Amino acid sequence: MRLSPDGNKIAYMVAIKRPNQSGTAIALHDLSNNKRSYLAFTDDKEYRFSDLVWANNQYLLVDVVYPQLRKGLLVNEYRLLKLNVINKKMTGTLSASFLNDLHYVPNVQSVILDLLPNEPDHFLIEIGGRMYNAEPSVVKISLKDGEREQYVQMPYEDVRGWLTDQQGNVRIATARNKDEYTIYQVPANNKSIKDFTKLWSYQAFSEDVITPLGFAKNPNILYVQAYHQGYLAVFKVDLSSNDKQLQLVQDANKRDLTGKMRYSNKIGDYVGKGNTYWHPQAKAFKQELDSALPNLRNRIISSSLDENRYVLYSTSDTNAGVYFLGDKTTGSLSKIANKYNELKPSLMAEKQKLSYQARDGLKIDAYLTLPLGDKQKNLPTVIFPHGGPISFDNDDFDYWTQFFANRGYAVFQMNFRGSYGYGYDFMHQGIQAWGQSMQDDVEDGTRWLIKQGIADPQKICIVGSSYGGYAALMGTVKTPDLYQCAISFAGISDIEKLVKSHKKFIGYEIAKKQIGEDRNQLWDNSPLKYVDKITTPILLIHGDKDRSVKIEQSEDMFQALQSADKQVNYLPLPDANHYLSNAQDRLKAFQAMEDFLRQYL
């Protein structure tokens, strides 16, 4: 949901399911007359709406994603369309003359750099193709005709991203050469890399990382993210000073401070990050919201330019999510809609936060979800490691967990080493540790759950998607007697092939540093190598339009298992992506998982 700058309209994406029509619509709720209307629709089979944002009170900018084959490579194409909410016409944001002037057509054309609130008829984008060796350039685009108003000429081939100040001026360039990042201060004339001022440089996945986050209203004050006592925190730095000293703004008390930065137009400064606020006024208002809606995780996801009206999204482990419209002038908070109408809180199971010790003594946080009912011991259990792997599980609602719990299974999720949010040392222990210590953490969690008497040792299935799918497959290799079945959705079976698949992309050096580049070691930690040793029944599910993990990862595993006469089921999903964005794909996948779990647990 997105609130218009004047606070009078709410635009949102909504699932449509009718006898002859299924997909996603962009809808509009006019608060002035309480009327709702549909503006655009996609069946989600090829084209998918991934995001929307108000450019001004008349136009929505819509990010559209679709799969494409480029020179034999499977990629996602991203396009930015403008949607007139008055006449419901949707057109491209870039003019034909602009696109014709590019040296090549970049697959990513939807990165909004700055909406330019002081120039509501223009916005800035980052886009490649302007110069042969520079990716990307910054361009100012007219909403009226899609023509470029100006190029911000910054010919430097290693730049990967830019940052503007609150006045709309390009001020920061982030460059990367292989696995080394450099942060530059951009000069006012924007003409030559020679005039750029180097601020910081660091290696990927090092403790020296400094990430620019945004400028205060004062154009000399830059907020950055860096490590403080081993954990990510927010600092500010005065770029006009000689020493560029980092000053701590906020940390998270022995945790990484995560989430998006929160800027207040009214206050004229950043006031928080994620759900943590440091400005007294913003902090006090957040406390009021939490008092009004206790036992929920409350997040302001959109607000009017004057911040008098806002959309609040509230959720918890047992609440699938509800949207509220807030009005500061009246002090009111009114419900707009549930995220999932049919998922009643009474159907949901609570998540318990637990912890256990890995074999080397490292503390691992975990979440246990028990099915509703009186039985809490000796349960059929789903071990559910997360994807990423630099990601994390928390006590928010997630539909995978609630589905399994609803079908009578205990669900155990662990933040194994390498997970995000636990500081530098914890994250770094997951670098190049696929199939090794990270996998041991999953095994140790499973054995701990058995020892506690919660999991029936004869009824345990390991399930995961993406990296979690890899962990599920690797679990059948390293601990064949621990799991009675395994489910891998979009999982990796050959990590040597995974790293190699990045070779023609700009993230290749990062992939090698994160996962590894020793081909022998990568193959040694690939489930595909050990097919002959696998005795566990396996279900593979994969979308053939997956651009994050190629479907060949599951196809190769299926063919090898089938040739070795192993117990394996395979469900390829035509036109499905890595995220099961299409509702019909989700239903097929979850029906297959339910049938498989019923058979083996």
Side-chain angles (χ1 to χ4, degrees):
M1 284 198 172
R2 300 287 184 263
L3 194 60
S4 60
D6 62 9
N8 292 327
K9 299 180 182 69
I10 301 175
Y12 55 96
M13 293 189 290
V14 60
I16 300 294
K17 188 179 180 183
R18 295 170 178 162
N20 299 316
Q21 189 182 48
S22 174
T24 301
I26 296 175
L28 185 74
H29 182 185
D30 191 327
L31 298 173
S32 63
N33 55 25
N34 205 31
K35 289 184 178 180
R36 289 180 171 86
S37 58
Y38 290 120
L39 305 177
F41 174 80
T42 177
D43 61 11
D44 289 332
K45 291 181 180 177
E46 182 174 7
Y47 298 96
R48 180 170 57 88
F49 301 139
S50 67
D51 200 5
L52 50 87
V53 62
W54 289 92
N56 55 33
N57 292 314
Q58 182 179 351
Y59 283 103
L60 280 167
L61 296 177
V62 182
D63 193 350
V64 175
V65 183
Y66 62 96
Q68 186 71 283
L69 194 66
R70 283 186 177 232
K71 297 180 179 179
L73 293 175
L74 300 172
V75 299
N76 278 330
E77 299 281 337
Y78 297 85
R79 298 293 183 268
L80 192 65
L81 307 180
K82 60 181 179 182
L83 176 57
N84 188 322
V85 301
I86 297 174
N87 61 22
K88 301 184 182 181
K89 288 185 178 180
M90 187 151 67
T91 55
T93 55
L94 306 178
S95 68
S97 62
F98 170 79
L99 293 171
N100 288 335
D101 284 346
L102 297 177
H103 289 292
Y104 63 91
V105 179
N107 69 304
V108 180
Q109 301 178 21
S110 61
V111 180
I112 301 171
L113 178 61
D114 197 322
L115 289 170
L116 302 176
N118 297 324
E119 299 181 59
D121 291 330
H122 297 87
F123 64 97
L124 296 181
I125 64 167
E126 296 182 9
I127 188 167
R130 173 68 180 98
M131 291 163 286
Y132 280 114
N133 296 319
E135 175 102 16
S137 294
V138 179
V139 185
K140 184 187 281 189
I141 299 296
S142 168
L143 275 168
K144 293 179 179 178
D145 53 21
E147 280 294 338
R148 56 188 178 273
E149 291 292 315
Q150 69 182 58
Y151 278 104
V152 182
Q153 303 267 11
M154 288 172 275
Y156 183 41
E157 61 180 5
D158 289 333
V159 169
R160 300 290 180 236
W162 308 92
L163 186 65
T164 56
D165 58 24
Q166 296 300 328
Q167 291 72 35
N169 302 307
V170 177
R171 297 289 306 284
I172 295 292
T174 298
R176 179 167 61 80
N177 186 347
K178 294 186 177 180
D179 64 348
E180 183 175 3
Y181 289 83
T182 304
I183 312 299
Y184 292 98
Q185 185 174 350
V186 178
N189 57 23
N190 302 327
K191 286 184 178 178
S192 171
I193 183 61
K194 295 178 182 178
D195 298 323
F196 283 31
T197 302
K198 180 179 175 180
L199 295 173
W200 306 286
S201 186
Y202 60 87
Q203 295 287 319
F205 305 113
S206 75
E207 203 169 358
D208 299 324
V209 58
I210 295 181
T211 306
L213 299 172
F215 281 86
K217 198 165 187 178
N218 179 345
N220 289 320
I221 303 300
L222 173 67
Y223 287 85
V224 300
Q225 177 176 271
Y227 281 103
H228 172 65
Q229 298 178 352
Y231 297 89
L232 290 173
V234 174
F235 298 80
K236 64 181 178 180
V237 56
D238 186 346
L239 295 182
S240 65
S241 65
N242 293 325
D243 58 4
K244 307 291 190 296
Q245 186 72 32
L246 298 186
Q247 302 172 29
L248 180 66
V249 174
Q250 184 69 44
D251 62 8
N253 190 23
K254 303 301 180 182
R255 287 292 302 267
D256 291 333
L257 183 56
T258 60
K260 293 183 179 180
M261 288 288 283
R262 295 187 175 276
Y263 186 84
S264 169
N265 291 302
K266 203 168 187 177
I267 295 171
D269 204 350
Y270 283 98
V271 298
K273 190 174 194 290
N275 240 15
T276 300
Y277 292 82
W278 53 77
H279 189 279
Q281 187 176 329
K283 192 173 184 179
F285 183 66
K286 177 60 168 55
Q287 289 171 347
E288 288 182 32
L289 290 174
D290 290 341
S291 296
L293 297 167
N295 304 318
L296 291 172
R297 185 170 296 190
N298 304 301
R299 296 189 285 265
I300 296 175
I301 60 171
S302 185
S303 62
S304 58
L305 209 53
D306 62 12
E307 298 178 9
N308 286 331
R309 274 182 169 171
Y310 58 93
V311 174
L312 183 73
Y313 179 61
S314 301
T315 185
S316 72
D317 53 349
T318 58
N319 190 314
V322 57
Y323 296 96
F324 296 94
L325 176 65
D327 192 319
K328 291 183 180 180
T329 57
T330 62
S332 63
L333 199 61
S334 54
K335 181 179 175 181
I336 306 171
N338 293 314
K339 186 167 186 177
Y340 299 98
N341 277 328
E342 299 305 315
L343 293 186
K344 311 298 183 186
S346 60
L347 297 173
M348 303 298 110
E350 292 184 1
K351 284 186 179 182
Q352 306 172 40
K353 185 176 181 180
L354 306 168
S355 65
Y356 61 90
Q357 276 195 340
R359 62 192 65 183
D360 60 358
L362 186 66
K363 177 188 173 185
I364 305 295
D365 282 347
Y367 294 90
L368 174 65
T369 306
L370 297 178
L372 298 180
D374 295 330
K375 188 177 179 183
Q376 296 193 347
K377 295 287 185 178
N378 207 38
L379 291 163
T381 299
V382 168
I383 303 298
F384 187 35
H386 62 71
I390 304 180
S391 179
F392 62 92
D393 281 317
N394 59 18
D395 57 0
D396 271 356
F397 169 83
D398 77 82
Y399 65 89
W400 288 68
T401 298
Q402 292 298 337
F403 176 81
F404 294 139
N406 183 263
R407 294 306 192 263
Y409 305 104
V411 186
F412 196 53
Q413 301 165 274
M414 65 285 292
N415 286 327
F416 46 81
R417 71 192 69 204
S419 298
Y420 183 70
Y422 292 88
Y424 174 77
D425 288 341
F426 193 90
M427 181 276 294
H428 201 261
Q429 288 186 61
I431 300 299
Q432 300 186 16
W434 287 44
Q436 303 167 64
S437 54
M438 287 196 295
Q439 191 71 36
D440 293 341
D441 291 344
V442 177
E443 177 191 339
D444 294 345
T446 305
R447 296 192 185 281
W448 179 86
L449 205 63
I450 294 172
K451 190 176 181 180
Q452 301 304 308
I454 295 168
D456 180 342
Q458 300 305 314
K459 293 185 178 182
I460 301 177
C461 190
I462 183 167
V463 181
S465 66
S466 198
Y467 173 83
Y470 163 83
L473 294 175
M474 204 62 190
T476 69
V477 171
K478 298 193 74 172
T479 50
D481 299 326
L482 190 57
Y483 307 109
Q484 280 65 59
C485 62
I487 300 175
S488 169
F489 170 76
I492 297 97
S493 63
D494 183 347
I495 55 177
E496 180 191 2
K497 194 171 187 177
L498 175 72
V499 173
K500 197 183 297 182
S501 70
H502 287 77
K503 198 166 187 177
K504 294 184 179 180
F505 295 91
I506 59 175
Y508 182 47
E509 297 296 332
I510 301 300
K512 288 195 296 183
K513 187 154 190 175
Q514 180 186 349
I515 305 172
E517 58 180 322
D518 184 319
R519 292 187 175 183
N520 292 328
Q521 186 178 10
L522 292 174
W523 179 238
D524 285 343
N525 289 306
S526 296
L528 188 61
K529 179 179 179 179
Y530 305 98
V531 163
D532 289 342
K533 297 181 179 180
I534 293 175
T535 58
T536 309
I538 291 174
L539 170 63
L540 303 169
I541 307 174
H542 216 125
D544 71 357
K545 293 296 190 295
D546 192 326
R547 297 301 184 257
S548 299
V549 177
K550 292 181 180 180
I551 194 171
E552 287 89 342
Q553 291 281 347
S554 289
E555 289 176 338
D556 292 348
M557 192 69 182
F558 173 64
Q559 291 168 5
L561 286 165
Q562 199 175 45
S563 297
D565 200 26
K566 304 295 183 176
Q567 291 176 280
V568 58
N569 294 359
Y570 177 41
L571 176 64
L573 296 172
D575 300 320
N577 64 16
H578 192 66
Y579 307 101
L580 286 175
S581 300
N582 183 290
Q584 295 305 313
D585 295 331
R586 284 197 294 277
L587 291 172
K588 290 176 185 176
F590 275 74
Q591 185 65 62
M593 288 192 286
E594 179 175 13
D595 294 344
F596 186 79
L597 289 170
R598 185 186 295 119
Q599 180 180 356
Y600 290 104
L601 295 195

